[in-house]
Amino acid sequence: MATSLGLTACSSDDGTDADIVTTNGGEPQNPLVPTNTNENMGGRVVDRLYAGLKYYDANGEAHDELAQSIETTDRKNYKITIKPDWKFSDGSAVTAKSFVDAWNFGALGSNAQLQSYVFAPIVGFDEVQAKDAKAQTMSGLKVVDDRTFTVALKQPSIDFETELGFTPFYPLPDAAFKDMKAFGENPIGNGPYKFAKNGAWQHNVQIDLVPNPEYKGGRAPKNKGLRFVMYQSYDTAYADLQAGNLDTLDVIPESAMTSYKQDLGDRAISKPIAYKVNIGIQSNVPHFAGEEGVLRRKAISMAINREQICENIFHGARIPSRDFTASTLPGFNGNLPGSEFLKFNPQEAKKLWAQADAISPWSGKYEIAYNTDGGHQGWIEATANSIKNTLGIEAIGAPYPTFKTIRDAINAKTIGKAFRGGWQGDYPTMLQFLTSQYYSFSETNNVSYNSPEFDALLNAALAAPTLEESYKIVAQAQALLFKDMAEIPVLDYNAAAGRSDKVKKAELAWNGFFDFEHIEK
């Protein structure tokens, strides 16, 4: 899930309830519709508002939530039965149709949902994605009765059952389809929390959630509610954490990296998580198309001194990337063919840059866009300096004021320069990182990478009969990403976080989010 931090902090008009957990957040890019939420400021809220067929615990293990049974004999044809008597927070029933309608809405090409790619394995997806689609629903989804539906996939999938707790697979109530944008401003979910009354979403300020009394799953809140407070900087958020005005903070600012463990004592939190940072560039930027672009991306990657950045700026809270996924995931291999392009090698970087110049002499400057509300300035400037000093070109950071601003430009393919991107795991498999970011048809493929050979390898990895065989094919797919240097992996996260002295329990989950439901004041 693409990531960053939001905007400005402010107290609410009704004061602060001592039992409500205040945590850092940010302005979501879009209205809170599950199939159109692919960044973590919206995602952290949406995942509290909805319940899916499955949910993931703090260790990334999947558990049944609404699913009473998920039956298959071939991992291709599924019969799904949901538990009885589930309701949305408005009192309407959650039925099999609630899932099927939501998935069909997300898959329909004319709805342009950012998470539509997740439905690609379902029979009929291609027909509803087409611009001139006559079909409005996927033929592979069938409602059997109020509690049962079937799913037909194009081929067996080793990930399908695991991913059913992922955001775009949530159900939606009938009320959503009357006006989806308006619904996203004041969503009605079936999860452990619901919107508080009276303007729960104060744009650019905060979002207030309270426990949902209709919820009957395995994530029942152990607190009286959540307030996602939006900050302009992590430094301000950290000061509030120390002062007891913020209960939890999931990213310690660069300025406090050397002191936060001493400042917070046993309230400091560190943990390896499935979260990585990349530098991408779209092929419509001059000098970055075709073979020239491949050479330049490889040269830039080898011009970045990742070890020095991790040591000098993050003091161990980041580690150099070794692949296109995350080092904490099952099956990770840090020595793939092509991973040498992620090692600092000034001589080879200059050689590759010269080969690109032979195709078309370099002109202009290399800019790396980043959002200033996300605490990225230090490492972006260090990265730009490393590139500048190695390749002898002008390389600089290009600040954007907010995460929403930069994401809108990236999605519209108008950013016109390199950009910082992050991916925070949505479910704990390597294929989740790869399908979301590099499938040719994925709406979250920010660099427009298009390789039929790569798509076929991902399909084969999904269809593999065992995890071991799937991992081998994933390795082949990543070797191809290195060959093409689809984008530049830079850093993996060791999370640095903290809780205030008003909180007795707050744990980070496998992907770096707090285990929000289990935060205790």
Side-chain angles (χ1 to χ4, degrees):
M1 185 170 283
T3 57
S4 189
L5 183 74
L7 303 174
T8 182
C10 182
S11 61
S12 68
D13 294 335
D14 58 358
T16 300
D17 185 329
D19 294 323
I20 291 176
V21 173
T22 57
T23 187
N24 65 290
E27 179 68 7
Q29 183 187 7
N30 298 309
L32 298 173
V33 176
T35 49
N36 207 39
T37 300
N38 80 315
E39 41 76 34
N40 86 19
M41 293 306 159
R44 66 181 61 202
V45 181
V46 168
D47 289 340
R48 316 277 75 78
L49 295 174
Y50 294 89
L53 294 167
K54 289 184 174 288
Y55 73 93
Y56 311 110
D57 65 21
N59 296 318
E61 294 294 322
H63 303 271
D64 288 342
E65 192 163 30
L66 264 79
Q68 180 166 299
S69 64
I70 300 173
E71 301 172 61
T72 183
T73 57
D74 57 5
R75 292 189 302 144
K76 183 178 178 182
N77 296 284
Y78 290 83
K79 179 183 177 184
I80 298 173
T81 303
I82 65 172
K83 295 172 181 174
D85 303 323
W86 270 77
K87 294 181 180 179
F88 289 102
S89 59
D90 67 349
S92 61
V94 182
T95 65
K97 186 174 181 290
S98 307
F99 285 93
V100 170
D101 286 353
W103 297 9
N104 277 321
F105 174 86
L108 190 62
S110 59
N111 289 330
Q113 297 293 283
L114 289 172
Q115 301 275 46
S116 64
Y117 74 93
V118 306
F119 304 110
I122 298 175
V123 172
F125 172 80
D126 297 334
E127 287 74 15
V128 302
Q129 269 281 295
K131 290 183 180 179
D132 57 349
K134 295 179 181 178
Q136 299 292 295
T137 60
M138 290 182 284
S139 56
L141 292 181
K142 302 289 185 186
V143 174
V144 176
D145 56 40
D146 279 353
R147 290 179 47 215
T148 311
F149 66 104
T150 59
V151 185
L153 305 183
K154 300 170 189 172
Q155 62 176 27
S157 171
I158 205 163
D159 259 20
F160 182 69
E161 193 167 340
T162 300
E163 71 181 316
L164 289 175
F166 181 23
T167 307
F169 290 100
Y170 292 142
L172 289 173
D174 289 343
F177 302 98
K178 297 174 183 176
D179 184 339
M180 193 63 75
K181 184 176 180 181
F183 173 83
E185 293 288 334
N186 191 23
I188 298 165
N190 63 323
Y193 295 90
K194 64 178 183 176
F195 261 22
K197 295 179 180 179
N198 302 324
W201 185 353
Q202 299 179 48
H203 286 281
N204 303 325
V205 178
Q206 66 192 40
I207 295 176
D208 286 331
L209 307 183
V210 295
N212 174 17
E214 299 288 355
Y215 179 75
K216 49 171 56 176
R219 294 185 289 148
K222 294 188 176 180
N223 50 63
K224 297 294 181 64
L226 301 170
R227 173 168 295 161
F228 293 94
V229 184
M230 303 171 194
Y231 286 88
Q232 288 185 335
S233 79
Y234 281 111
D235 289 300
T236 305
Y238 184 64
D240 274 358
L241 184 76
Q242 290 180 288
N245 297 323
L246 184 70
D247 290 323
T248 64
L249 177 62
D250 60 15
V251 177
I252 300 296
E254 293 172 5
S255 60
M257 281 294 180
T258 58
S259 64
Y260 85 100
K261 290 183 179 179
Q262 182 176 347
D263 294 342
L264 301 177
D266 63 2
R267 295 182 286 110
I269 304 167
S270 59
K271 179 179 181 176
I273 58 173
Y275 187 170
K276 81 176 309 91
V277 170
N278 305 318
I279 293 176
I281 194 163
Q282 294 165 349
S283 59
N284 59 3
V285 178
H287 298 293
F288 284 94
E291 181 60 23
E292 181 191 358
V294 173
L295 290 165
R296 294 204 187 280
R297 289 190 294 274
K298 288 178 178 177
I300 288 166
S301 181
M302 300 183 88
I304 300 171
N305 193 333
R306 294 168 177 77
E307 289 79 5
Q308 190 176 75
I309 292 168
C310 290
E311 181 179 345
N312 293 350
I313 293 177
F314 294 111
H315 305 280
R318 306 287 185 273
I319 59 175
S321 289
R322 299 296 302 145
D323 80 336
F324 289 85
T325 69
S327 58
T328 59
L329 294 171
F332 169 80
N333 180 351
N335 295 297
L336 295 169
S339 60
E340 64 271 13
F341 292 117
L342 303 185
K343 294 181 179 178
F344 183 52
N345 188 333
Q347 290 73 30
E348 187 65 20
K350 291 173 184 175
K351 178 182 173 183
L352 292 169
W353 195 257
Q355 291 175 17
D357 279 343
I359 297 173
S360 176
W362 174 255
S363 59
K365 57 189 175 183
Y366 184 75
E367 298 179 272
I368 308 172
Y370 67 96
N371 50 301
T372 58
D373 63 357
H376 302 292
Q377 182 177 357
W379 79 265
I380 288 290
E381 290 183 349
T383 298
N385 283 333
S386 189
I387 295 167
K388 175 183 177 181
N389 293 336
T390 301
L391 299 178
I393 63 171
E394 184 179 1
I396 59 173
Y400 281 60
T402 66
F403 180 55
K404 176 176 169 53
T405 307
I406 192 172
R407 288 303 312 165
D408 286 346
I410 291 168
N411 286 346
K413 305 291 193 280
T414 59
I415 193 162
K417 56 180 72 71
F419 53 87
R420 176 211 72 87
W423 197 264
Q424 196 162 6
D426 294 297
Y427 55 93
T429 75
M430 292 190 293
L431 281 164
Q432 197 274 315
F433 275 67
L434 300 177
T435 57
S436 58
Q437 295 180 88
Y438 307 114
Y439 251 148
S440 61
F441 52 83
S442 171
E443 294 288 345
T444 53
N445 179 345
N446 293 324
V447 293
S448 301
Y449 180 65
N450 189 343
S451 168
E453 182 182 356
F454 177 80
D455 287 354
L457 284 168
L458 285 196
N459 292 340
L462 286 166
T466 67
L467 285 172
E468 288 69 26
E469 290 179 68
S470 182
Y471 296 154
K472 289 178 183 177
I473 303 171
V474 164
Q476 295 173 42
Q478 292 210 71
L480 186 57
L481 288 180
F482 278 120
K483 179 184 175 184
D484 297 335
M485 211 65 203
E487 65 179 333
I488 301 171
V490 184
L491 307 172
D492 283 17
Y493 272 55
N494 284 323
R499 59 181 174 87
S500 78
D501 57 8
K502 297 178 181 178
V503 174
K504 70 177 181 179
K505 181 182 179 182
E507 297 181 358
L508 285 181
W510 65 278
N511 59 359
F513 283 128
F514 276 101
D515 184 11
F516 290 106
E517 287 78 14
H518 294 101
I519 297 174
E520 296 181 45
K521 294 294 287 279

